[in-house]
Amino acid sequence: MDFKLPSAWQKGEKRYNTFNRHLRDTFGGKVFKVSLDAGFTCPNRDGTKGWGGCIYCSPRGSGDFAGAVTHSVEQQFSEVKERMQKKWPKALYLAYFQAYTNTYAPVCELRKLYEEALRQEGVVGISLATRPDCLPGEVLDYLEELNKRTYLWVELGLQSIHDRTMEWVKRGHSYAEFLEGVAALHARGIRICVHIILGFPGETYEDMMATARAVAALPVQGVKIHLLHILKGTPLAKLFEKEPFPLLTSEEYVSLVVDILEILPPDMIIHRLTGDGPPNDLIAPLWSRKKWEILNAIDRELVQRNTWQGKKFF
């Protein structure tokens, strides 16, 4: 079959469906996320499923760029927004509950925190990072209500479809449980963004592509692609120090991301193409500090191959 580059991507635009473009199309201008730490924990940290979290998760529950947990949602929002406004003074905002598991609390507590965020000036919606095994019925009911009156994303950590990998990272839930979470959100018409991680030790190229193909076939609207990176203070750092294992090179990562983009649906929204931990906490791979160089390399690879998101999706 002869594929041609979509006309919308022929004039210097990204060759994939960026979250930035989606937000501009939806709201008519720049929208950025304000990352918040609402003081939640995680069933993989409080003993319900395990202790210490997933082996790659930072001490701040992957909320390293969020506001200070000792401050209220309103205070955090003001502080983070002030930093971002210097670059985009007329932007609108998404309140991003990022740290730990942001549906892991009674609905009355969730409602108080979410509604406080939505009351902040310029906020047009909310994004919630959570786990697929932390979506009880009463939480789903509230999310369904919320979805009817504001712009909502629920971000679900999958990381890999391979249960052997999830056991290795001490994820605390199976792929089957993840699918149940997706089905529950989809049934209520809620936008879903799936997180996957590339570069787990023991996973082959085909293993990682199998995860991407599975995501491509799901009823989800967005994806975040992360690189496995090792941060200080994590169980993974201790493991890596004791028994170092090979990590993806920048060239391998760029090529793999482009392979994945080709098989994703052309209308799936790409929220992220690489992860970037705090530079002072990063142990490896050090090349991942250069986020914009990686993103530019992905753009070049797409052009060099004359390919784009969804070219091989059929």
Side-chain angles (χ1 to χ4, degrees), residues 96-114:
Y96 181 28
F97 287 82
Q98 181 181 25
Y100 301 100
T101 302
N102 292 278
T103 59
Y104 190 50
V107 170
C108 59
E109 183 178 344
L110 300 179
R111 186 180 293 273
K112 177 183 175 182
L113 293 164
Y114 299 172

Side-chain angles (χ1 to χ4, degrees), residues 196-199 208 224-228 247-260 272-275 285 287-288 294-295 298 301 305:
I196 64 173
I197 295 177
L198 306 179
M208 291 181 277
K224 278 188 176 180
I225 302 174
H226 298 267
L227 164 72
L228 180 68
L247 297 166
L248 292 174
T249 66
S250 60
E251 294 79 10
E252 289 171 332
Y253 186 77
V254 167
S255 180
L256 179 57
V257 167
V258 173
D259 289 348
I260 289 173
R272 178 183 286 272
L273 287 181
T274 184
W287 59 260
S288 67
I294 299 303
L295 293 175
I298 291 169
E301 182 73 7
R305 291 194 201 179

Side-chain angles (χ1 to χ4, degrees), residues 290-308:
K290 301 176 180 179
K291 176 182 176 180
W292 289 106
E293 288 187 16
I294 299 303
L295 293 175
N296 290 337
I298 291 169
D299 290 341
R300 288 194 301 271
E301 182 73 7
L302 287 163
V303 172
Q304 185 174 353
R305 291 194 201 179
N306 189 30
T307 193
W308 52 87

Side-chain angles (χ1 to χ4, degrees), residues 71-106:
H71 294 174
S72 69
V73 165
E74 183 177 6
Q75 286 176 297
Q76 289 185 49
F77 184 87
S78 178
E79 291 159 0
V80 176
K81 183 182 78 170
E82 185 177 352
R83 296 198 298 267
M84 304 295 284
Q85 270 187 324
K86 295 175 183 177
K87 188 172 183 180
W88 296 293
K90 297 182 180 180
L92 299 171
Y93 320 108
L94 288 183
Y96 181 28
F97 287 82
Q98 181 181 25
Y100 301 100
T101 302
N102 292 278
T103 59
Y104 190 50

Side-chain angles (χ1 to χ4, degrees), residues 78-250:
S78 178
E79 291 159 0
V80 176
K81 183 182 78 170
E82 185 177 352
R83 296 198 298 267
M84 304 295 284
Q85 270 187 324
K86 295 175 183 177
K87 188 172 183 180
W88 296 293
K90 297 182 180 180
L92 299 171
Y93 320 108
L94 288 183
Y96 181 28
F97 287 82
Q98 181 181 25
Y100 301 100
T101 302
N102 292 278
T103 59
Y104 190 50
V107 170
C108 59
E109 183 178 344
L110 300 179
R111 186 180 293 273
K112 177 183 175 182
L113 293 164
Y114 299 172
E115 301 297 339
E116 182 179 359
L118 288 169
R119 284 194 298 269
Q120 304 310 305
E121 184 178 359
V123 170
V124 294
I126 191 167
S127 188
L128 308 170
T130 191
R131 291 167 57 96
D133 56 347
C134 291
L135 294 168
E138 61 273 18
V139 169
L140 288 166
D141 289 343
Y142 174 48
L143 294 181
E144 183 176 17
E145 173 207 323
L146 202 60
N147 190 52
K148 291 175 180 177
R149 57 186 171 88
T150 193
Y151 176 84
L152 172 67
W153 280 93
V154 174
E155 301 188 18
L156 289 185
L158 167 60
Q159 321 315 356
S160 171
I161 65 169
H162 306 289
D163 284 340
R164 68 180 187 278
T165 299
M166 292 298 90
E167 291 173 6
W168 183 80
V169 303
K170 303 186 186 304
R171 181 69 187 163
H173 69 75
S174 66
Y175 180 46
E177 289 174 286
F178 169 81
L179 293 177
E180 290 174 4
V182 168
L185 291 167
H186 176 65
R188 295 168 186 257
I190 297 169
R191 296 178 192 86
I192 305 166
C193 176
V194 177
H195 292 220
I196 64 173
I197 295 177
L198 306 179
F200 286 122
E203 286 207 353
T204 65
Y205 169 84
E206 271 306 320
D207 289 332
M208 291 181 277
M209 290 299 292
T211 293
R213 291 189 191 97
V215 171
L218 290 172
V220 302
Q221 294 72 43
V223 65
K224 278 188 176 180
I225 302 174
H226 298 267
L227 164 72
L228 180 68
H229 53 268
I230 302 168
L231 299 177
K232 295 176 183 177
T234 63
L236 186 60
K238 295 179 181 179
L239 179 63
F240 187 73
E241 181 181 3
K242 184 178 179 180
E243 298 181 25
F245 50 82
L247 297 166
L248 292 174
T249 66
S250 60

